[in-house]
Amino acid sequence: MKKCQVVAIAAAIAAGSICGIGVPGSTRTAAAVEPAVTFREDVLPVFQIRCVSCHSPTGEGYKASGLDLTTYKGVIAGTKYGPMVVPGDPDSSNLMRLLDWKVSPQLRMPHNKKQLSVCDRDAIRTWIREGAKDN
């Protein structure tokens, strides 16, 4: 089991959302649990650490594509070539194609660096699948 899975399972257990486990006397149900992934806590930190050195208004990636990954608004705006995120559909989102390296080597992100971890890519994928909300 991967570290990110262990952390997610531990968080879900603590929140009482796995297999009906809950705090005795609590009325909290699995349906009341917030989304597993949020933009501010899970996605933006990945972008800040791995992407904004190029994809910020002063970076080379921004100059080449127009993609600003410093804010939610910038991510949703996409590039001068079109959208990067299709809310609800990570498989159709260009962002995931670039991060999963399903494009030519010249386009893979991040350029000339190690690929984002499976955990980081899965967090972004889940955020997109859950509607790419500003949460």
Side-chain angles (χ1 to χ4, degrees), residues 19-78:
C19 301
I21 300 171
V23 177
S26 171
T27 58
R28 186 177 183 136
T29 64
V33 175
E34 290 187 35
V37 176
T38 68
F39 180 77
R40 281 185 207 87
E41 293 179 12
D42 303 296
V43 176
L44 186 58
V46 173
F47 292 158
Q48 290 171 331
I49 293 168
R50 297 294 307 274
C51 308
V52 300
S53 62
C54 289
H55 289 284
S56 64
T58 58
E60 290 300 315
Y62 178 81
K63 291 174 186 172
S65 69
L67 181 60
D68 177 5
L69 295 177
T70 62
T71 66
Y72 174 81
K73 183 178 177 183
V75 174
I76 296 304

Side-chain angles (χ1 to χ4, degrees), residues 12-126:
I13 290 171
S17 64
I18 291 186
C19 301
I21 300 171
V23 177
S26 171
T27 58
R28 186 177 183 136
T29 64
V33 175
E34 290 187 35
V37 176
T38 68
F39 180 77
R40 281 185 207 87
E41 293 179 12
D42 303 296
V43 176
L44 186 58
V46 173
F47 292 158
Q48 290 171 331
I49 293 168
R50 297 294 307 274
C51 308
V52 300
S53 62
C54 289
H55 289 284
S56 64
T58 58
E60 290 300 315
Y62 178 81
K63 291 174 186 172
S65 69
L67 181 60
D68 177 5
L69 295 177
T70 62
T71 66
Y72 174 81
K73 183 178 177 183
V75 174
I76 296 304
T79 71
K80 58 187 174 185
Y81 305 106
M84 292 300 291
V85 173
V86 178
D89 191 357
D91 294 332
S92 296
S93 295
N94 288 326
L95 180 62
M96 290 313 309
R97 292 181 44 75
L98 294 169
L99 295 176
D100 286 338
W101 290 12
K102 293 182 177 178
V103 295
S104 67
Q106 302 89 328
L107 298 175
R108 292 176 181 168
M109 292 292 146
H111 279 306
N112 302 316
K113 295 182 182 173
K114 189 170 98 174
Q115 186 177 30
L116 268 63
S117 71
V118 171
C119 291
D120 288 345
R121 286 183 285 131
D122 282 348
I124 296 166
R125 188 181 336 279
T126 300

